[in-house]
């Protein structure tokens, strides 16, 4: 199973942020300008550098990312219907990632010991994506 995140023209910025936070390999990115063009309906130049599709590996999970430009995709509604779960290997890793995600985001539940995990916390990052950080 993969996860798909859609952004309002911020996908490239979000990809760079997640690559840095999770210290992962660079994403494979395809832009709208790289897709086959329809001569009958040429693509507006303002969309050519936006992300059509990108793939990041985070903690062994494939996270797909794209922009959803107005007129080419459904409008973005940031909500709480999708959350990503990151299972850390150490307390240091959990704390580091939790802190980075909260820098311009919001803590929903502090990172602390729970009855099911050594550490657990919830955060909404600067892009409106909800994260659950676990250490079992």
């Amino acid at each position: 199973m993969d996860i798909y995140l859609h952004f309002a023209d911020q996908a490239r910025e979000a990809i760079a942020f997640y690559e840095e936070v999770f210290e992962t390999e660079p994403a494979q990115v395809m832009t709208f300008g790289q897709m086959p063009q329809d001569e009958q309906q040429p693509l507006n130049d303002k969309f050519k550098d936006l992300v059509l599709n990108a793939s990041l590996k985070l903690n062994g999970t494939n996270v797909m990312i794209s922009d959803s430009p107005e007129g080419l995709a459904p409008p973005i509604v940031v909500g709480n219907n999708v959350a990503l779960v990151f299972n850390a290997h150490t307390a240091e890793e959990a704390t580091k990632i939790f802190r980075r995600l909260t820098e311009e985001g919001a803590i929903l539940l502090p990172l602390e010991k729970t009855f099911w995990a050594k550490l657990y916390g919830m955060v909404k990052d600067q892009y409106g994506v909800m994260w659950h950080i676990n250490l079992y």
Side-chain angles (χ1 to χ4, degrees), residues 11-29 54-58 63 65 96-97 100-101 127 131:
R12 195 173 297 277
E13 179 183 328
I15 291 165
F17 177 70
Y18 297 141
E19 286 172 344
E20 182 183 340
V21 169
F22 295 103
E23 298 175 355
T24 188
E25 296 294 317
Q28 298 174 9
V29 177
S55 178
L56 270 177
K57 283 285 188 193
L58 299 183
V63 178
I65 297 173
K96 175 183 172 184
I97 287 172
R100 287 298 318 277
L101 290 172
Y127 302 105
W131 293 87

Side-chain angles (χ1 to χ4, degrees), residues 109-122 133-136:
L109 287 174
L111 186 65
E112 58 190 16
K113 183 175 177 24
T114 66
F115 68 90
W116 71 85
K118 294 176 185 173
L119 288 174
Y120 173 79
M122 288 177 57
I133 307 301
N134 285 315
L135 175 64
Y136 292 112

Side-chain angles (χ1 to χ4, degrees), residues 7-100:
F7 292 90
D9 304 346
Q10 297 173 299
R12 195 173 297 277
E13 179 183 328
I15 291 165
F17 177 70
Y18 297 141
E19 286 172 344
E20 182 183 340
V21 169
F22 295 103
E23 298 175 355
T24 188
E25 296 294 317
Q28 298 174 9
V29 177
M30 177 184 279
T31 66
F32 279 87
Q34 292 173 304
M35 70 179 184
Q37 300 299 307
D38 181 352
E39 292 179 21
Q40 304 293 322
Q41 297 178 325
L43 184 67
N44 187 316
D45 286 343
K46 71 180 183 178
F47 299 137
K48 289 188 176 179
D49 289 331
L50 294 179
V51 175
L52 174 65
N53 187 54
S55 178
L56 270 177
K57 283 285 188 193
L58 299 183
N59 204 26
T61 299
N62 195 35
V63 178
M64 310 298 286
I65 297 173
S66 74
D67 283 310
S68 292
E70 188 175 335
L72 293 180
I76 295 296
V77 177
V78 176
N80 61 1
N81 58 331
V82 175
L84 301 180
V85 179
F86 184 83
N87 294 308
H89 295 99
T90 66
E92 294 78 19
E93 181 183 35
T95 301
K96 175 183 172 184
I97 287 172
F98 188 83
R99 285 185 181 151
R100 287 298 318 277

